[in-house]
CSV table of all heavy atoms in Angstrom, one decimal:
chain,number,residue,atom,x,y,z
Y,1,MET,N,119.5,123.4,38.4
Y,1,MET,CA,118.2,123.9,38.2
Y,1,MET,C,118.3,124.9,37.0
Y,1,MET,O,119.3,125.7,36.9
Y,1,MET,CB,117.7,124.6,39.5
Y,1,MET,CG,116.3,125.0,39.4
Y,1,MET,SD,115.6,125.8,40.8
Y,1,MET,CE,115.8,124.7,42.1
Y,2,HIS,N,117.4,124.9,36.2
Y,2,HIS,CA,117.4,125.8,35.0
Y,2,HIS,C,117.2,127.2,35.4
Y,2,HIS,O,116.5,127.5,36.4
Y,2,HIS,CB,116.2,125.4,34.1
Y,2,HIS,CG,116.3,125.9,32.7
Y,2,HIS,ND1,115.9,127.2,32.4
Y,2,HIS,CD2,116.8,125.4,31.6
Y,2,HIS,CE1,116.1,127.4,31.1
Y,2,HIS,NE2,116.7,126.4,30.6
Y,3,PRO,N,117.9,128.1,34.7
Y,3,PRO,CA,117.9,129.6,35.1
Y,3,PRO,C,116.4,130.1,35.0
Y,3,PRO,O,116.1,131.0,35.8
Y,3,PRO,CB,118.8,130.2,34.1
Y,3,PRO,CG,119.7,129.2,33.6
Y,3,PRO,CD,118.9,127.9,33.7
Y,4,TYR,N,115.6,129.7,34.1
Y,4,TYR,CA,114.3,130.2,34.0
Y,4,TYR,C,113.5,129.8,35.3
Y,4,TYR,O,112.7,130.6,35.8
Y,4,TYR,CB,113.6,129.6,32.8
Y,4,TYR,CG,112.1,130.0,32.6
Y,4,TYR,CD1,111.8,131.3,32.2
Y,4,TYR,CD2,111.1,129.1,33.0
Y,4,TYR,CE1,110.5,131.7,32.1
Y,4,TYR,CE2,109.8,129.5,32.9
Y,4,TYR,CZ,109.5,130.8,32.4
Y,4,TYR,OH,108.2,131.2,32.3
Y,5,ILE,N,113.6,128.6,35.8
Y,5,ILE,CA,112.9,128.2,37.0
Y,5,ILE,C,113.4,129.0,38.2
Y,5,ILE,O,112.6,129.4,39.0
Y,5,ILE,CB,113.1,126.7,37.2
Y,5,ILE,CG1,112.4,125.9,36.1
Y,5,ILE,CG2,112.6,126.2,38.6
Y,5,ILE,CD1,112.7,124.4,36.1
Y,6,THR,N,114.7,129.2,38.3
Y,6,THR,CA,115.3,130.0,39.3
Y,6,THR,C,114.7,131.4,39.3
Y,6,THR,O,114.3,132.0,40.4
Y,6,THR,CB,116.8,130.1,39.2
Y,6,THR,OG1,117.3,128.8,39.2
Y,6,THR,CG2,117.4,130.8,40.4
Y,7,HIS,N,114.6,132.0,38.1
Y,7,HIS,CA,114.0,133.3,38.0
Y,7,HIS,C,112.6,133.4,38.4
Y,7,HIS,O,112.1,134.3,39.1
Y,7,HIS,CB,114.2,133.8,36.5
Y,7,HIS,CG,113.7,135.2,36.3
Y,7,HIS,ND1,112.4,135.4,35.7
Y,7,HIS,CD2,114.2,136.4,36.5
Y,7,HIS,CE1,112.2,136.7,35.7
Y,7,HIS,NE2,113.3,137.3,36.1
Y,8,GLU,N,111.8,132.4,38.0
Y,8,GLU,CA,110.4,132.3,38.4
Y,8,GLU,C,110.2,132.2,39.9
Y,8,GLU,O,109.3,132.8,40.5
Y,8,GLU,CB,109.7,131.2,37.6
Y,8,GLU,CG,109.5,131.5,36.1
Y,8,GLU,CD,108.7,132.7,35.9
Y,8,GLU,OE1,107.6,132.9,36.5
Y,8,GLU,OE2,109.1,133.5,35.0
Y,9,LEU,N,111.0,131.3,40.5
Y,9,LEU,CA,110.9,131.1,41.9
Y,9,LEU,C,111.3,132.4,42.7
Y,9,LEU,O,110.7,132.8,43.7
Y,9,LEU,CB,111.9,130.0,42.4
Y,9,LEU,CG,111.4,128.6,42.0
Y,9,LEU,CD1,112.5,127.6,42.4
Y,9,LEU,CD2,110.1,128.2,42.7
Y,10,ALA,N,112.3,133.2,42.2
Y,10,ALA,CA,112.7,134.4,42.8
Y,10,ALA,C,111.5,135.4,42.7
Y,10,ALA,O,111.2,136.2,43.6
Y,10,ALA,CB,113.9,135.0,42.1
Y,11,LYS,N,110.8,135.5,41.5
Y,11,LYS,CA,109.7,136.4,41.3
Y,11,LYS,C,108.6,136.0,42.3
Y,11,LYS,O,107.9,136.9,42.9
Y,11,LYS,CB,109.2,136.3,39.9
Y,11,LYS,CG,110.1,137.1,38.9
Y,11,LYS,CD,109.6,137.2,37.5
Y,11,LYS,CE,108.3,136.5,37.1
Y,11,LYS,NZ,108.0,136.5,35.7
Y,12,ILE,N,108.3,134.8,42.5
Y,12,ILE,CA,107.3,134.3,43.4
Y,12,ILE,C,107.6,134.7,44.8
Y,12,ILE,O,106.8,135.2,45.6
Y,12,ILE,CB,107.0,132.8,43.3
Y,12,ILE,CG1,106.4,132.5,41.9
Y,12,ILE,CG2,106.2,132.3,44.4
Y,12,ILE,CD1,106.4,131.0,41.6
Y,13,LYS,N,108.9,134.5,45.2
Y,13,LYS,CA,109.3,134.9,46.6
Y,13,LYS,C,109.2,136.4,46.8
Y,13,LYS,O,108.7,136.8,47.9
Y,13,LYS,CB,110.7,134.4,46.8
Y,13,LYS,CG,111.3,134.7,48.1
Y,13,LYS,CD,110.5,133.9,49.2
Y,13,LYS,CE,111.2,134.1,50.5
Y,13,LYS,NZ,110.4,133.4,51.6
Y,14,ILE,N,109.6,137.2,45.8
Y,14,ILE,CA,109.5,138.7,45.9
Y,14,ILE,C,108.0,139.1,46.1
Y,14,ILE,O,107.7,139.9,46.9
Y,14,ILE,CB,110.2,139.4,44.7
Y,14,ILE,CG1,111.7,139.2,44.9
Y,14,ILE,CG2,109.8,140.8,44.7
Y,14,ILE,CD1,112.4,139.6,43.6
Y,15,ALA,N,107.1,138.5,45.3
Y,15,ALA,CA,105.7,138.8,45.4
Y,15,ALA,C,105.1,138.5,46.7
Y,15,ALA,O,104.4,139.2,47.3
Y,15,ALA,CB,104.9,138.1,44.3
Y,16,GLU,N,105.6,137.3,47.3
Y,16,GLU,CA,105.1,136.9,48.6
Y,16,GLU,C,105.6,137.9,49.7
Y,16,GLU,O,104.8,138.3,50.6
Y,16,GLU,CB,105.7,135.5,49.0
Y,16,GLU,CG,105.0,134.4,48.3
Y,16,GLU,CD,105.7,133.1,48.6
Y,16,GLU,OE1,106.7,133.0,49.2
Y,16,GLU,OE2,105.1,132.0,48.1
Y,17,GLU,N,106.8,138.4,49.6
Y,17,GLU,CA,107.4,139.3,50.5
Y,17,GLU,C,106.7,140.7,50.4
Y,17,GLU,O,106.4,141.3,51.4
Y,17,GLU,CB,108.9,139.5,50.4
Y,17,GLU,CG,109.6,138.2,50.8
Y,17,GLU,CD,111.1,138.3,50.6
Y,17,GLU,OE1,111.6,139.4,50.1
Y,17,GLU,OE2,111.8,137.3,51.0
Y,18,LEU,N,106.4,141.1,49.2
Y,18,LEU,CA,105.7,142.4,49.0
Y,18,LEU,C,104.3,142.3,49.6
Y,18,LEU,O,103.8,143.3,50.2
Y,18,LEU,CB,105.6,142.7,47.5
Y,18,LEU,CG,106.9,143.2,46.9
Y,18,LEU,CD1,106.8,143.4,45.4
Y,18,LEU,CD2,107.4,144.5,47.6
Y,19,GLU,N,103.6,141.2,49.4
Y,19,GLU,CA,102.2,141.0,50.0
Y,19,GLU,C,102.3,141.0,51.5
Y,19,GLU,O,101.4,141.5,52.2
Y,19,GLU,CB,101.6,139.7,49.4
Y,19,GLU,CG,100.2,139.5,50.0
Y,19,GLU,CD,99.2,140.6,49.7
Y,19,GLU,OE1,99.3,141.3,48.6
Y,19,GLU,OE2,98.4,140.9,50.6
Y,20,TYR,N,103.3,140.3,52.1
Y,20,TYR,CA,103.5,140.3,53.5
Y,20,TYR,C,103.7,141.7,54.1
Y,20,TYR,O,103.1,142.0,55.1
Y,20,TYR,CB,104.6,139.3,53.9
Y,20,TYR,CG,104.9,139.3,55.4
Y,20,TYR,CD1,104.1,138.6,56.2
Y,20,TYR,CD2,106.0,140.0,55.9
Y,20,TYR,CE1,104.4,138.5,57.6
Y,20,TYR,CE2,106.2,140.0,57.3
Y,20,TYR,CZ,105.4,139.2,58.1
Y,20,TYR,OH,105.7,139.2,59.4
Y,21,ALA,N,104.5,142.5,53.4
Y,21,ALA,CA,104.8,143.8,53.9
Y,21,ALA,C,103.5,144.7,53.8
Y,21,ALA,O,103.3,145.5,54.7
Y,21,ALA,CB,105.9,144.5,53.0
Y,22,ALA,N,102.7,144.5,52.7
Y,22,ALA,CA,101.5,145.2,52.6
Y,22,ALA,C,100.5,144.8,53.7
Y,22,ALA,O,99.8,145.7,54.3
Y,22,ALA,CB,100.9,145.0,51.2
Y,23,ARG,N,100.5,143.6,54.0
Y,23,ARG,CA,99.6,143.1,55.1
Y,23,ARG,C,100.0,143.6,56.4
Y,23,ARG,O,99.2,144.1,57.2
Y,23,ARG,CB,99.6,141.5,55.1
Y,23,ARG,CG,98.5,140.9,56.0
Y,23,ARG,CD,98.4,139.4,55.8
Y,23,ARG,NE,99.6,138.7,55.6
Y,23,ARG,CZ,100.0,138.1,54.5
Y,23,ARG,NH1,99.2,138.1,53.4
Y,23,ARG,NH2,101.1,137.4,54.5
Y,24,GLN,N,101.3,143.7,56.7
Y,24,GLN,CA,101.8,144.2,58.0
Y,24,GLN,C,101.5,145.7,58.0
Y,24,GLN,O,101.1,146.2,59.1
Y,24,GLN,CB,103.3,144.0,58.1
Y,24,GLN,CG,103.7,142.6,58.2
Y,24,GLN,CD,103.3,142.0,59.6
Y,24,GLN,OE1,102.1,142.0,60.0
Y,24,GLN,NE2,104.2,141.5,60.3
Y,25,ARG,N,101.6,146.4,56.9
Y,25,ARG,CA,101.3,147.9,56.9
Y,25,ARG,C,99.9,148.1,57.2
Y,25,ARG,O,99.5,149.0,58.0
Y,25,ARG,CB,101.7,148.4,55.5
Y,25,ARG,CG,101.9,149.9,55.5
Y,25,ARG,CD,102.6,150.4,54.2
Y,25,ARG,NE,102.3,149.6,53.0
Y,25,ARG,CZ,103.2,148.8,52.4
Y,25,ARG,NH1,104.4,148.6,52.9
Y,25,ARG,NH2,102.8,148.1,51.3
Y,26,ARG,N,99.0,147.3,56.6
Y,26,ARG,CA,97.5,147.5,56.9
Y,26,ARG,C,97.2,147.2,58.3
Y,26,ARG,O,96.4,147.9,58.9
Y,26,ARG,CB,96.7,146.6,55.9
Y,26,ARG,CG,96.7,147.0,54.5
Y,26,ARG,CD,95.7,146.3,53.7
Y,26,ARG,NE,95.9,144.8,53.7
Y,26,ARG,CZ,96.6,144.2,52.7
Y,26,ARG,NH1,97.2,144.8,51.8
Y,26,ARG,NH2,96.7,142.9,52.8
Y,27,ALA,N,97.9,146.2,58.9
Y,27,ALA,CA,97.6,145.8,60.3
Y,27,ALA,C,98.1,147.0,61.2
Y,27,ALA,O,97.4,147.3,62.2
Y,27,ALA,CB,98.3,144.5,60.7
Y,28,LYS,N,99.2,147.5,60.9
Y,28,LYS,CA,99.7,148.6,61.7
Y,28,LYS,C,98.8,149.9,61.6
Y,28,LYS,O,98.6,150.6,62.6
Y,28,LYS,CB,101.2,149.0,61.3
Y,28,LYS,CG,101.9,149.9,62.2
Y,28,LYS,CD,103.3,150.2,61.8
Y,28,LYS,CE,104.1,149.0,62.0
Y,28,LYS,NZ,105.6,149.2,61.8
Y,29,GLU,N,98.3,150.1,60.4
Y,29,GLU,CA,97.4,151.3,60.2
Y,29,GLU,C,96.1,151.0,61.0
Y,29,GLU,O,95.5,152.0,61.6
Y,29,GLU,CB,97.1,151.5,58.8
Y,29,GLU,CG,98.3,152.1,58.0
Y,29,GLU,CD,98.0,152.1,56.5
Y,29,GLU,OE1,96.9,151.6,56.0
Y,29,GLU,OE2,98.9,152.5,55.7
Y,30,ALA,N,95.6,149.8,61.0
Y,30,ALA,CA,94.3,149.5,61.7
Y,30,ALA,C,94.5,149.7,63.2
Y,30,ALA,O,93.6,150.2,63.9
Y,30,ALA,CB,93.9,148.1,61.4
Y,31,VAL,N,95.7,149.3,63.7
Y,31,VAL,CA,95.9,149.5,65.2
Y,31,VAL,C,96.0,151.0,65.5
Y,31,VAL,O,95.5,151.4,66.5
Y,31,VAL,CB,97.2,148.7,65.6
Y,31,VAL,CG1,97.6,149.1,67.0
Y,31,VAL,CG2,96.9,147.2,65.5
Y,32,SER,N,96.7,151.7,64.7
Y,32,SER,CA,96.9,153.2,65.0
Y,32,SER,C,95.7,154.0,64.8
Y,32,SER,O,95.6,155.1,65.4
Y,32,SER,CB,98.0,153.7,64.1
Y,32,SER,OG,97.6,153.8,62.7
Y,33,ASP,N,94.7,153.5,64.1
Y,33,ASP,CA,93.4,154.2,63.9
Y,33,ASP,C,92.5,154.1,65.1
Y,33,ASP,O,91.6,155.0,65.3
Y,33,ASP,CB,92.7,153.7,62.7
Y,33,ASP,CG,93.3,154.2,61.4
Y,33,ASP,OD1,94.2,155.1,61.4
Y,33,ASP,OD2,93.0,153.6,60.3
Y,34,ARG,N,92.7,153.1,66.0
Y,34,ARG,CA,91.8,153.0,67.1
Y,34,ARG,C,92.2,154.0,68.2
Y,34,ARG,O,93.3,154.3,68.4
Y,34,ARG,CB,92.0,151.6,67.7
Y,34,ARG,CG,91.3,150.5,66.8
Y,34,ARG,CD,91.4,149.2,67.5
Y,34,ARG,NE,92.7,148.6,67.4
Y,34,ARG,CZ,93.2,147.7,68.1
Y,34,ARG,NH1,92.5,147.1,69.1
Y,34,ARG,NH2,94.4,147.2,67.9
Y,35,PRO,N,91.2,154.4,68.9
Y,35,PRO,CA,91.5,155.3,70.1
Y,35,PRO,C,92.2,154.5,71.1
Y,35,PRO,O,91.9,153.4,71.4
Y,35,PRO,CB,90.1,155.7,70.6
Y,35,PRO,CG,89.1,154.7,70.0
Y,35,PRO,CD,89.7,154.2,68.8
Y,36,ARG,N,93.2,155.1,71.7
Y,36,ARG,CA,94.1,154.4,72.7
Y,36,ARG,C,94.0,155.0,74.1
Y,36,ARG,O,94.5,154.4,75.0
Y,36,ARG,CB,95.5,154.5,72.2
Y,36,ARG,CG,95.7,153.8,70.9
Y,36,ARG,CD,97.1,154.0,70.3
Y,36,ARG,NE,98.0,153.5,71.3
Y,36,ARG,CZ,99.2,153.0,70.9
Y,36,ARG,NH1,99.5,153.0,69.7
Y,36,ARG,NH2,100.0,152.6,71.8
Y,37,SER,N,93.3,156.1,74.3
Y,37,SER,CA,93.2,156.7,75.6
Y,37,SER,C,92.1,156.0,76.4
Y,37,SER,O,91.1,155.6,75.9
Y,37,SER,CB,93.0,158.2,75.5
Y,37,SER,OG,91.8,158.4,74.9
Y,38,ILE,N,92.3,156.0,77.7
Y,38,ILE,CA,91.3,155.4,78.7
Y,38,ILE,C,90.9,156.6,79.5
Y,38,ILE,O,91.7,157.3,80.1
Y,38,ILE,CB,92.0,154.3,79.5
Y,38,ILE,CG1,92.4,153.2,78.6
Y,38,ILE,CG2,91.0,153.8,80.6
Y,38,ILE,CD1,93.2,152.1,79.3
Y,39,ASP,N,89.6,156.7,79.7
Y,39,ASP,CA,89.1,157.8,80.6
Y,39,ASP,C,89.0,157.2,82.0
Y,39,ASP,O,88.1,156.5,82.4
Y,39,ASP,CB,87.6,158.2,80.1
Y,39,ASP,CG,87.1,159.3,81.0
Y,39,ASP,OD1,87.8,159.8,81.8
Y,39,ASP,OD2,85.9,159.5,80.8
Y,40,PHE,N,90.1,157.5,82.8
Y,40,PHE,CA,90.3,156.9,84.1
Y,40,PHE,C,89.3,157.5,85.1
Y,40,PHE,O,88.9,156.8,86.0
Y,40,PHE,CB,91.7,157.1,84.6
Y,40,PHE,CG,92.6,156.1,84.0
Y,40,PHE,CD1,93.5,156.5,83.0
Y,40,PHE,CD2,92.6,154.8,84.4
Y,40,PHE,CE1,94.4,155.6,82.4
Y,40,PHE,CE2,93.5,153.9,83.8
Y,40,PHE,CZ,94.4,154.3,82.8
Y,41,SER,N,88.8,158.7,84.9
Y,41,SER,CA,87.9,159.3,85.8
Y,41,SER,C,86.5,158.5,85.7
Y,41,SER,O,85.9,158.2,86.8
Y,41,SER,CB,87.7,160.8,85.6
Y,41,SER,OG,87.1,161.0,84.3
Y,42,ASN,N,86.1,158.3,84.5
Y,42,ASN,CA,84.9,157.5,84.3
Y,42,ASN,C,85.0,156.1,84.8
Y,42,ASN,O,84.1,155.5,85.4
Y,42,ASN,CB,84.4,157.6,82.9
Y,42,ASN,CG,83.1,157.0,82.6
Y,42,ASN,OD1,82.3,156.9,83.6
Y,42,ASN,ND2,82.8,156.6,81.4
Y,43,LEU,N,86.2,155.5,84.5
Y,43,LEU,CA,86.4,154.1,84.9
Y,43,LEU,C,86.4,154.0,86.5
Y,43,LEU,O,85.9,153.1,87.0
Y,43,LEU,CB,87.8,153.7,84.4
Y,43,LEU,CG,88.2,152.3,84.7
Y,43,LEU,CD1,87.3,151.2,84.1
Y,43,LEU,CD2,89.6,152.0,84.3
Y,44,GLY,N,87.0,155.0,87.1
Y,44,GLY,CA,87.1,155.0,88.6
Y,44,GLY,C,85.7,155.1,89.2
Y,44,GLY,O,85.4,154.4,90.2
Y,45,GLN,N,84.8,155.9,88.6
Y,45,GLN,CA,83.5,156.0,89.1
Y,45,GLN,C,82.7,154.7,89.0
Y,45,GLN,O,82.0,154.3,89.9
Y,45,GLN,CB,82.8,157.2,88.4
Y,45,GLN,CG,83.3,158.5,88.7
Y,45,GLN,CD,82.6,159.6,87.8
Y,45,GLN,OE1,81.9,159.3,86.9
Y,45,GLN,NE2,82.9,160.9,88.1
Y,46,ARG,N,82.8,154.1,87.8
Y,46,ARG,CA,82.1,152.9,87.6
Y,46,ARG,C,82.6,151.8,88.5
Y,46,ARG,O,81.9,151.0,89.1
Y,46,ARG,CB,82.2,152.4,86.2
Y,46,ARG,CG,81.4,153.3,85.2
Y,46,ARG,CD,81.4,152.7,83.8
Y,46,ARG,NE,82.7,152.1,83.5
Y,46,ARG,CZ,83.2,152.1,82.3
Y,46,ARG,NH1,82.6,152.6,81.3
Y,46,ARG,NH2,84.4,151.6,82.1
Y,47,LEU,N,83.9,151.7,88.7
Y,47,LEU,CA,84.5,150.7,89.6
Y,47,LEU,C,84.1,150.9,91.0
Y,47,LEU,O,83.7,150.0,91.7
Y,47,LEU,CB,86.0,150.8,89.5
Y,47,LEU,CG,86.8,149.7,90.3
Y,47,LEU,CD1,86.5,148.4,89.8
Y,47,LEU,CD2,88.3,150.0,90.1
Y,48,ARG,N,84.0,152.2,91.5
Y,48,ARG,CA,83.6,152.5,92.9
Y,48,ARG,C,82.1,152.0,93.1
Y,48,ARG,O,81.8,151.4,94.1
Y,48,ARG,CB,83.6,154.0,93.1
Y,48,ARG,CG,84.2,154.3,94.4
Y,48,ARG,CD,84.3,155.8,94.7
Y,48,ARG,NE,85.4,156.4,94.0
Y,48,ARG,CZ,85.5,157.2,92.9
Y,48,ARG,NH1,84.6,157.7,92.5
Y,48,ARG,NH2,86.5,157.7,92.4
Y,49,VAL,N,81.3,152.2,92.1
Y,49,VAL,CA,79.9,151.8,92.2
Y,49,VAL,C,79.8,150.3,92.2
Y,49,VAL,O,79.1,149.7,93.0
Y,49,VAL,CB,79.0,152.4,91.0
Y,49,VAL,CG1,77.7,151.7,90.9
Y,49,VAL,CG2,78.9,153.9,91.1
Y,50,ARG,N,80.6,149.6,91.4
Y,50,ARG,CA,80.5,148.1,91.4
Y,50,ARG,C,81.1,147.5,92.7
Y,50,ARG,O,80.5,146.5,93.2
Y,50,ARG,CB,81.3,147.6,90.2
Y,50,ARG,CG,80.6,147.6,88.9
Y,50,ARG,CD,81.3,146.8,87.9
Y,50,ARG,NE,80.6,146.8,86.7
Y,50,ARG,CZ,79.9,145.8,86.2
Y,50,ARG,NH1,79.8,144.7,87.0
Y,50,ARG,NH2,79.3,145.8,85.1
Y,51,LEU,N,82.1,148.1,93.2
Y,51,LEU,CA,82.7,147.5,94.4
Y,51,LEU,C,81.9,147.8,95.7
Y,51,LEU,O,81.7,147.0,96.5
Y,51,LEU,CB,84.2,148.0,94.6
Y,51,LEU,CG,85.2,147.5,93.5
Y,51,LEU,CD1,86.5,148.1,93.8
Y,51,LEU,CD2,85.3,146.0,93.6
Y,52,TRP,N,81.5,149.1,95.8
Y,52,TRP,CA,80.9,149.5,97.1
Y,52,TRP,C,79.4,149.9,97.0
Y,52,TRP,O,78.8,150.1,97.9
Y,52,TRP,CB,81.7,150.7,97.7
Y,52,TRP,CG,83.0,150.2,98.1
Y,52,TRP,CD1,83.4,149.4,99.1
Y,52,TRP,CD2,84.3,150.5,97.5
Y,52,TRP,NE1,84.7,149.2,99.2
Y,52,TRP,CE2,85.3,149.9,98.2
Y,52,TRP,CE3,84.6,151.3,96.3
Y,52,TRP,CZ2,86.6,150.0,97.8
Y,52,TRP,CZ3,86.0,151.4,96.0
Y,52,TRP,CH2,86.9,150.7,96.7
Y,53,GLY,N,78.9,149.9,95.8
Y,53,GLY,CA,77.5,150.2,95.6
Y,53,GLY,C,77.2,151.7,95.8
Y,53,GLY,O,78.1,152.4,96.2
Y,54,GLY,N,76.0,152.1,95.6
Y,54,GLY,CA,75.6,153.4,95.9
Y,54,GLY,C,76.0,154.4,94.8
Y,54,GLY,O,76.4,154.0,93.7
Y,55,PRO,N,75.9,155.7,95.0
Y,55,PRO,CA,76.2,156.7,94.0
Y,55,PRO,C,77.7,156.7,93.7
Y,55,PRO,O,78.5,156.4,94.5
Y,55,PRO,CB,75.7,158.0,94.6
Y,55,PRO,CG,75.8,157.7,96.1
Y,55,PRO,CD,75.5,156.3,96.3
Y,56,SER,N,78.0,157.1,92.4
Y,56,SER,CA,79.3,157.2,92.0
Y,56,SER,C,80.2,158.3,92.6
Y,56,SER,O,81.4,158.3,92.5
Y,56,SER,CB,79.4,157.3,90.5
Y,56,SER,OG,78.8,158.5,90.1
Y,57,TRP,N,79.6,159.2,93.3
Y,57,TRP,CA,80.3,160.3,93.9
Y,57,TRP,C,80.9,159.9,95.3
Y,57,TRP,O,81.5,160.7,95.9
Y,57,TRP,CB,79.5,161.6,94.0
Y,57,TRP,CG,78.1,161.4,94.6
Y,57,TRP,CD1,77.0,161.2,93.8
Y,57,TRP,CD2,77.7,161.3,95.9
Y,57,TRP,NE1,75.9,161.0,94.6
Y,57,TRP,CE2,76.3,161.1,95.9
Y,57,TRP,CE3,78.3,161.4,97.1
Y,57,TRP,CZ2,75.6,160.9,97.1
Y,57,TRP,CZ3,77.6,161.3,98.3
Y,57,TRP,CH2,76.2,161.1,98.3
Y,58,GLY,N,80.7,158.7,95.7
Y,58,GLY,CA,81.3,158.2,96.9
Y,58,GLY,C,80.3,158.3,98.1
Y,58,GLY,O,79.2,158.8,98.0
Y,59,GLY,N,80.7,157.7,99.2
Y,59,GLY,CA,79.9,157.7,100.4
Y,59,GLY,C,78.8,156.7,100.4
Y,59,GLY,O,78.0,156.6,101.4
Y,60,GLY,N,78.7,155.8,99.4
Y,60,GLY,CA,77.7,154.8,99.4
Y,60,GLY,C,78.0,153.7,100.3
Y,60,GLY,O,79.1,153.5,100.8
Y,61,LYS,N,77.0,152.9,100.7
Y,61,LYS,CA,77.2,151.7,101.5
Y,61,LYS,C,77.9,150.6,100.8
Y,61,LYS,O,77.7,150.4,99.6
Y,61,LYS,CB,75.9,151.2,102.1
Y,61,LYS,CG,75.2,152.2,103.0
Y,61,LYS,CD,74.1,151.6,103.7
Y,61,LYS,CE,73.0,151.1,102.8
Y,61,LYS,NZ,71.8,150.7,103.4
Y,62,PRO,N,78.8,149.8,101.4
Y,62,PRO,CA,79.4,148.7,100.8
Y,62,PRO,C,78.4,147.7,100.3
Y,62,PRO,O,77.3,147.5,101.0
Y,62,PRO,CB,80.3,148.1,101.8
Y,62,PRO,CG,80.5,149.1,102.9
Y,62,PRO,CD,79.3,150.0,102.8
Y,63,ALA,N,78.6,147.0,99.2
Y,63,ALA,CA,77.7,146.0,98.8
Y,63,ALA,C,77.7,144.8,99.7
Y,63,ALA,O,78.7,144.4,100.2
Y,63,ALA,CB,78.2,145.5,97.4
Y,64,GLY,N,76.5,144.3,100.0
Y,64,GLY,CA,76.4,143.2,101.0
Y,64,GLY,C,76.7,141.9,100.3
Y,64,GLY,O,77.0,141.8,99.2
Y,65,ALA,N,76.5,140.8,101.1
Y,65,ALA,CA,76.7,139.5,100.6
Y,65,ALA,C,75.8,139.1,99.5
Y,65,ALA,O,76.2,138.4,98.6
Y,65,ALA,CB,76.6,138.5,101.7
Y,66,GLY,N,74.6,139.6,99.5
Y,66,GLY,CA,73.6,139.3,98.4
Y,66,GLY,C,73.7,140.2,97.2
Y,66,GLY,O,73.0,140.0,96.3
Y,67,ALA,N,74.7,141.1,97.2
Y,67,ALA,CA,74.8,142.0,96.0
Y,67,ALA,C,75.4,141.4,94.8
Y,67,ALA,O,76.1,140.6,94.8
Y,67,ALA,CB,75.5,143.3,96.5
């Protein structure tokens, strides 16, 4: 293979690897920008209401068969 072709192929490969690294970096930044915490107190209240019905503070009647 001619040295010029080898050089051009190497340049193309390096450009591909640089673009892949930039794409991975952008993906990692996008994931890190999202909020990751879960408000379990709010989640627990909503779950209680869905499972047993009634007010979210507890003491409600269980959901019947038609619920």
Side-chain angles (χ1 to χ4, degrees):
M1 191 178 303
H2 194 276
Y4 178 77
I5 294 174
T6 306
H7 181 261
E8 290 300 311
L9 290 174
K11 283 185 356 184
I12 292 169
K13 182 65 176 174
I14 290 169
E16 288 174 353
E17 290 179 359
L18 288 173
E19 180 57 36
Y20 177 76
R23 190 170 40 248
Q24 293 291 56
R25 199 168 33 253
R26 288 191 302 268
K28 191 178 286 188
E29 288 171 359
V31 169
S32 68
D33 288 345
R34 286 189 281 163
R36 297 174 60 151
S37 63
I38 298 173
D39 182 9
F40 283 105
S41 62
N42 189 19
L43 179 66
Q45 290 173 354
R46 289 189 321 214
L47 185 60
R48 225 179 280 114
V49 169
R50 279 192 178 257
L51 292 177
W52 293 289
S56 62
W57 46 265
K61 295 190 300 188

